[in-house]
Every structure is written in structure tokens, then in C-alpha cells.
Amino acid sequence: MLKAEVKRMTDQSPAEGETGPEEPEKLVPRHRMANELRDDINNGIYEPGQKLPSQRDLAERYNVARNTAAEAVKILIAEGLIDNRDRARPTVRGPRRLLRLGAERYSNRLREETGVSPFRAEVEKQGKTPRVDCPSITKIRPPADIAARLGLSAERDFVVRRENWYFADEEPVQLGITYIPWEIAEGTVLATSANMGKGSLYGRFEDRGHRIAAIREEISSRMPTPEETKGLKVPAGVPVIDVIHTGIDQDDQPFEVTCFTMRADLNGLDYRIRIED
Amino acid sequence: MLKAEVKRMTDQSPAEGETGPEEPEKLVPRHRMANELRDDINNGIYEPGQKLPSQRDLAERYNVARNTAAEAVKILIAEGLIDNRDRARPTVRGPRRLLRLGAERYSNRLREETGVSPFRAEVEKQGKTPRVDCPSITKIRPPADIAARLGLSAERDFVVRRENWYFADEEPVQLGITYIPWEIAEGTVLATSANMGKGSLYGRFEDRGHRIAAIREEISSRMPTPEETKGLKVPAGVPVIDVIHTGIDQDDQPFEVTCFTMRADLNGLDYRIRIED
DNA sequence: GCAAGTATCTGGCTCAAGCCAGATGCGATA
DNA sequence: TATCGCATCTGGCTTGAGCCAGATACTTGC
């Protein structure tokens, strides 16, 4: 890692003495500058957590207008290399440790033995304080895609919709919206209370005769909507992971669907799956 | 011009104490314009595939400078709502059908019965033509994280590195880099040939006494690097999904690791998992 | 009817100038 | 010493001007 030769020839003379196999591929200034900055970051010249020089400085160093310097920084922000929360000085983003959520979080035994939710366990493993907020429980008609997964009718049936926000050290991490057939939730805490009691959510399903036997998880990723950016405080240049989770009971019946929206800079998934013959 | 008279003596008031339902939340022009455009797109005023009016038109309609109009469009591009391939006119991006890849793609029975790779099957299901390209097979020292997963030493051991590019109708879809311990690959087509023969990759592992019994899949998501943007032709505003896949045999030994990089606009994952008690 | 050539339009990009509000630093004051 | 107030700095944003190369449409000549 020879960071000694930080060439900074501000004049854009061709200067390509020996043309490598790669053609220079002439770049517009914003990209030339973004590339240099990116290399510097990857080579550790700017350390994670370190603030970048001011736009006005950068502009002078790279011999561009301040506007252009700002554009170059924006490129790296969009790539997720630089963080620019609020109006603070843009900062080099370091690799963050991911919460690794796996299928064992649904294990019946684990639930019974520890009594602590896997999300909490995972957060505490990182030395942070978990918090789960359930700001709303409502009775609604299921959205069409949810109805399909639960085997319900979007016109005739009802579901309980439970909204859960997950925090680590008060930083929003993910959002989960759980849909439960009214038939199952009716008359239980599932339909009324944020506090699920011993064994948590799946404990209550078991009370109603639905023991979790299998799950389906449909995973995709996309850029957050503006609402999600605000609600989850997703930094610029960070996508979200969508997980549509379906809980399936011992009779092969789906009894619950949860749609997770996770910040991709804080969450990952980790599945160990036995392959059936 | 000190606006001293505006100074809040009630400074640092809780602020989110009893905010009204929705304050207008004054927006800068670029966001105001981006919001209107986004609504129009979501309300179907601009149909998927339709071209946006010219920047100069938009600027006039929204009463901003052309620069600002361009910035507003860029916001929607970064959100993934608008596509601006090449220098073509920005176009409203429609929802794309995802390739849904699941764990059953590793099923031994499925492999033996159909003989066709799950990727091919999934692509053909969409009426497209699959193609897999294996441009390089090399013998290298394993990267540290790979070595750890295979139980090898990054200094002493070797692995075969196989690079695979996956296309649907000649559009790049994903990239997979497979690492196989040299001990296993030595002397087989695994180390030499792109063509795997009947039963494909996992058929050859079985020849060497490694029947797949379990897999581990570690999933995360991020924005693509510039190289990936170029190689996979990832459109602006689209993340990639990283999957680190580990194949585990009947003796609980890992025998293969593959790192997938998938375009998130074309790929999704779909796992059905039995929950152990 | 068709091909070639041309004028126009478009998006991408850069620049210089300037306003604003929040952050920062520093000195004066209590 | 601790706190307040102010000057300054910073990033974010907007504007209007202008250049460029590729796309498009239109004309002209064969």
C-alpha cells in the first residue's frame, strides 16, 4: 500500500508516457476527481470517520469549480462511501457491522429456552441497547399481495396489522409490518396489545394452535422511498432490503405474514438450510 | 442583516412535542419538483416506458432553472424510478419481474431429474434466453474471508477460482465467483473446463465424494462499485445483492464457496425453510 | 423512393456568482 | 472558569450562461 506517491498534478496534461493496456478513457472532471477521491479512501489516505476537506479546498486542489467538487463528492455519497448526515461535514463511512438475522430466530426451542427475541440478542451481541416499538395495531382489509399469501380474500376478510419499529441504541434499524388473519387474532393480545408476554409473538400463535413449522422468506432490495429515508434515517447511498416473511404452521397453513424493511447498512441475512434430497 | 429579532428564545424546544399532523415542511425547489414528478409517476400520469418531457420543458413548467430541473430528475433516478441509460431520454422505469432464486436450486433430486440448472429454468420461465459464461478459471491463494469459510489457510493453501457471468437475453444479470479447494478440484474438470457435464457443478463434487447436504447463504445489499456498474450494466439507482454461498457436504464439511453479485432490479431470493424444533 | 447530409434539439456537464442556515471557533464578559 | 455572542466557515442549493456530443427530424439530391 504505497500511499507515498500521492500524485497531484493539477494540470491536466496528457502526460501518458507509457500507455498501459488500459486506454485512459477520458473522464469528465467530476469523475476524474471522484475516482481519485475514491482511491484515496480505499487506500486509507482518508480514514473512516475522518472528515473530508471543505468543498472550497477540494475545488482548489483539483482545479475545478466548487460546484464540480460538490458533484464529485455526491458521486461517492451515492456509492455509499461517504456519509453526509444532516448538514454536517461529509465523513468517510467505515464498514459497519451488520446484524445477521437467520432462520434460527424462529426456532421454537430457542424461543422457549431463552425467552429473548433474536433481534434483541443480536443487538446486544454488538454491545448496543435494543428497543422495539409497536406504535399501531389496527384491523384492516389485507393488501392484495398479503391476502394471496395468507389465502384470504382482499374484499371479504380482515387482518390485524401490527407495525413494529426496531432500534439499536435508539438508531432505527428496521421496520416490520405483521399481518394476522382476524380469525386467528380475534380476542387475543395479538389484536390488542403491544406486549406479547412470554414466548412473544409465536408463543401466542401457539396458544391458538399454530406452531411454526416452516417459513418462507422472499428477499429483494431497492432504494428507499423518501418516507423510508426519513423514518428509518437511511443515509444517502444506502439501499433497503425487503423481506416478505410468511409463517407456516404444522398443517402447512400460512398464519402470518410480516413485511420487513431493513437498512442495508445495518442488516444482513444468514441462512443455513438443509438440502432435501 | 442579522435576523437577531428572529432568534428563538425558546431555543431547543422539544420541537417534536406536539407537531401538528403534517406541517407543510417547506421544500427546496428541487425536492418540490421531484415530489410532484414522483406523484405523477406513481399516479400513472407518466406510464412506464414513457419518456419524460425535455429538461427545458420541465424547467419552464415548474418555473425553475434548467439546472434545477435536471437535479430534480436526478433525485428520481437515484431512487430508481427513472432510467437514464446512455444518453437516451430519461424514461419511467416500470416494475421488472424478478428472477426468484431459492434453495431448491441445490436440490439433488431436482438436479438429477431435470439436468437443467435452476438459473436456466428461471430465465426460461420468463421467456428469455439464458446464457452462462465462464471466462476464467484460475488457481490462486484464497482471499482471507473465503479461506475462513472453507477451513483453509490463506497463506499455504490453494483454491480454484471460477468466474461465471449470467445473462438473460444477453443482458447481464449476475456474477458468481466460485472457490473450490485445490485438493478437491485437482485433476478434475472443476479445475480446467467451463463445461461441467451431466449434473453440472454439483455432479462433479459428488464424483469427488462431496454430496451437498446443506448450504449457508449470507445476504447483504449495497450500491455497486463503478466496475460492477460497468460490468453488470447496473442502472443508476439500483443496488446489488451480495450472496456468499457455502456448500456443505454430508460430513458437515464446507467444500465450495460462491460469491454472487446480483442486480437487485432483476434478482430476488426465495427461501422456504423448515424450522427445527 | 431512398440515401445522405444538415439543422435542430436534447441531456450531460462545467462554471462563476451568490444566498442561506447551521456549525465552529474565539474572544469578551460575568 | 464557564458562558454567551458574534464573526466566520461550511455545505446545500439555485441561477443563468454556455459548451459538447449524440439523437432526431428534416431537407435535399440522386
Side-chain angles (χ1 to χ4, degrees), chain A residues 54-73:
Chain A
S54 82
Q55 288 180 359
R56 288 161 174 91
D57 276 359
L58 289 171
E60 198 174 4
R61 286 193 212 176
Y62 290 87
N63 208 22
V64 295
R66 178 166 80 103
N67 255 339
T68 306
E71 292 293 327
V73 173

Side-chain angles (χ1 to χ4, degrees), chain B residues 154-254:
Chain B
E155 291 83 31
R156 293 194 313 275
D157 296 316
F158 280 96
V159 293
V160 170
R161 175 189 189 275
R162 303 176 57 99
E163 190 175 321
N164 281 286
W165 293 78
Y166 298 81
F167 300 83
D169 277 356
E170 296 308 308
E171 185 179 35
V173 171
Q174 63 185 60
L175 160 67
I177 298 185
T178 301
Y179 301 91
I180 307 163
W182 179 248
E183 189 188 0
I184 294 175
E186 188 175 11
T188 73
V189 289
L190 290 171
T192 56
S193 169
N195 194 334
M196 289 283 92
K198 178 166 182 304
S200 191
L201 191 68
Y202 288 94
R204 298 296 77 70
F205 282 121
E206 223 167 311
D207 298 345
R208 299 284 291 177
H210 299 277
R211 183 168 175 90
I212 191 165
I215 58 171
R216 178 184 182 192
E217 309 236 323
E218 296 161 83
I219 301 162
S220 52
S221 173
R222 58 182 172 79
M223 293 312 283
T225 65
E227 291 76 28
E228 290 165 344
T229 300
K230 242 177 60 178
L232 285 172
K233 299 210 173 73
V234 190
V238 171
V240 293
I241 301 173
D242 276 330
V243 179
I244 305 178
H245 161 270
T246 307
I248 298 165
D249 70 11
Q250 67 284 348
D251 301 323
D252 214 27
Q253 291 300 313

Side-chain angles (χ1 to χ4, degrees), chain A residues 256-273:
Chain A
E256 163 254 352
V257 168
T258 303
C259 298
F260 290 100
T261 305
M262 308 178 170
R263 282 176 53 175
D265 60 337
L266 297 180
N267 294 278
L269 299 161
D270 188 353
Y271 296 106
R272 291 147 212 262
I273 306 174

